[in-house]
Structure formats: C-alpha cells, structure tokens
Amino acid sequence: MKVYVIDYHKDDPKKCTGRKLVKLKLAELTRVGRGIILNPFSERTLSINDKDILIKSGITIIDTSWNNTSQNEFINVRGEHRRLPILFAGNPIHYGIAYKLSSLEALMATLYILDEVKEAIKFSNVVKWGHTFIELNKELLEAYRNKDEEEIKKIEKEIIEKILRK
Ligand SMILES: C[S@@+](CC[C@H](N)C(=O)[O-])C[C@H]1O[C@@H](n2cnc3c(N)ncnc32)[C@H](O)[C@@H]1O
C-alpha cells in the first residue's frame, strides 16, 4: 500500500506529521495526486467501497495548515477525493476538535475504516500521541469500519444529532 504526501510547507516542520511520514520513508513526497485524495471539503465520504482504490493506487494526504487552507488547495489535485466522517483529533494541537485531524490521524482513520486495523495501529507508533487518537475514537472507528458510504453517512448523522441534543 502506497502513501503519498503533497506538502504545501505551511506548518512548523518540527510538528508536521506529513513530513515525518516522508522522513521515516513511510510515505513518498509527490506533486501529483494518486489514488484516494484525503480532502476534508469533499462531498464524498470515505468507505469500504474505496478499498480497491487504496490497494491499486494508494492514498494521498495533502499537508497544509488548518489555520490557512481553502478548497483551492485541493481542487486541482487529481484522484478520488474523500472526506472522513466525524472523528476527533487526538493530537496536542487540536485535541478533541471534530474533523480537524493531522495528516497522520487522517491516514490512520482511513486504514481503520478500510479494515486495515493492524496497519492503522502500526502508524500510531510514529508519534507518542498516536494511540490517543485510536483510543479516543475507538467506538466511532469500529462503527465505520467495513461499512459502505450510505451506512457511514447514516451513522455520522446519528452521532451529530446525539451531540447536538446534549
Ligand atoms: C490540514 S493538513 C494539517 C497537517 C499538519 N501539518 C500535520 O502535521 O498533520 C491535514 C490533512 O489530513 C487530511 N485530513 C485531515 N482531516 C481530514 C478529514 N476530516 N477528511 C479528509 N481528510 C482529512 C487532509 O489531507 C488534510 O489536508
């Protein structure tokens, strides 16, 4: 399984998880999108239906800054754009915030949802808070795992309604 990173060089290089993946040779730097493009602005939601794309063509993470990003950074990237369903950041910068995942967390979530749990856990060892993300989202990740897009959207809708009722 190939992991690619498009790096817009917008975040502190010392904290950047996309760059860390490349440095550890767990991902390849690219300028061209390949396979699944992790795009939080996408209308399509990642699901088990995308597993073939992952296997055949891999996954591309777009490492940019949450403080300064827009759809423009994603729009021209070639590939199959997918957003992740609601999950909470476990990283120290955006801890507890919904949807605002680091590049590494987005990769772990993708692998988990596509039923590659062992691979997801392997990547969680890259940073010391990696396991926190999995533990914090365990129930959600298990609910989304191996489900199709319609099922995932339904689960996500129920979760959001539950949060809003609190
Ligand atoms: C905005 S960048 C921030 C990266 C940060 N520099 C780091 O060190 O991790 C995070 C990237 O992970 C992916 N990502 C994060 N949350 C996502 C979501 N909810 N849906 C889809 N992709 C997501 C996207 O490729 C996104 O551009």
Side-chain angles (χ1 to χ4, degrees):
M1 181 207 50
K2 292 287 269 177
V3 180
Y4 302 95
V5 173
I6 294 177
D7 188 0
Y8 286 127
H9 299 278
K10 279 194 170 175
D11 266 349
D12 179 351
K14 287 192 202 107
K15 293 181 186 154
C16 182
T17 62
R19 204 169 294 190
K20 185 147 193 183
L21 287 168
V22 173
K23 204 171 152 197
L24 293 172
K25 299 199 171 10
L26 295 170
E28 197 179 300
L29 209 54
T30 182
R31 284 168 189 265
V32 185
R34 293 154 209 236
I36 299 168
I37 311 297
L38 284 180
N39 173 358
F41 301 103
S42 173
E43 281 177 15
R44 295 287 310 272
T45 306
L46 181 93
S47 75
I48 196 66
N49 311 55
D50 302 316
K51 183 130 181 187
D52 282 353
I53 310 173
L54 176 78
I55 292 166
K56 279 191 203 133
S57 312
I59 175 168
T60 303
I61 308 157
I62 302 191
D63 203 293
T64 180
S65 170
W66 278 116
N67 298 329
N68 176 19
T69 187
S70 72
Q71 297 205 36
N72 294 340
E73 287 187 318
F74 295 83
I75 249 158
N76 294 322
V77 178
R78 196 182 63 197
E80 294 291 332
H81 289 231
R82 299 289 186 269
R83 61 184 274 276
L84 290 164
I86 190 164
L87 289 163
F88 298 89
N91 68 74
I93 299 169
H94 291 116
Y95 186 87
I97 300 179
Y99 298 105
K100 272 195 177 180
L101 309 183
S102 67
S103 296
L104 177 65
E105 289 169 321
L107 173 63
M108 289 192 282
T110 302
L111 294 172
Y112 208 112
I113 294 168
L114 300 191
D115 206 21
E116 294 285 348
V117 178
K118 274 193 190 151
E119 281 293 306
I121 289 168
K122 203 174 91 191
F123 277 100
S124 73
N125 294 317
V126 165
V127 290
K128 60 176 187 291
W129 45 262
H131 294 273
T132 310
F133 173 74
I134 305 265
E135 278 154 31
L136 186 66
N137 292 286
K138 186 90 185 177
E139 232 178 282
L140 293 180
L141 289 167
E142 279 296 328
Y144 300 141
R145 181 160 72 96
N146 225 342
K147 301 281 188 340
D148 70 26
E149 192 171 2
E150 284 317 304
E151 286 174 297
I152 290 188
K153 280 184 172 167
K154 191 169 167 263
I155 297 166
E156 184 182 36
K157 193 167 169 264
E158 284 166 8
I159 291 159
I160 292 170
E161 280 168 4
K162 205 168 149 189
I163 293 170
L164 292 175
R165 274 200 303 273
K166 275 189 186 167

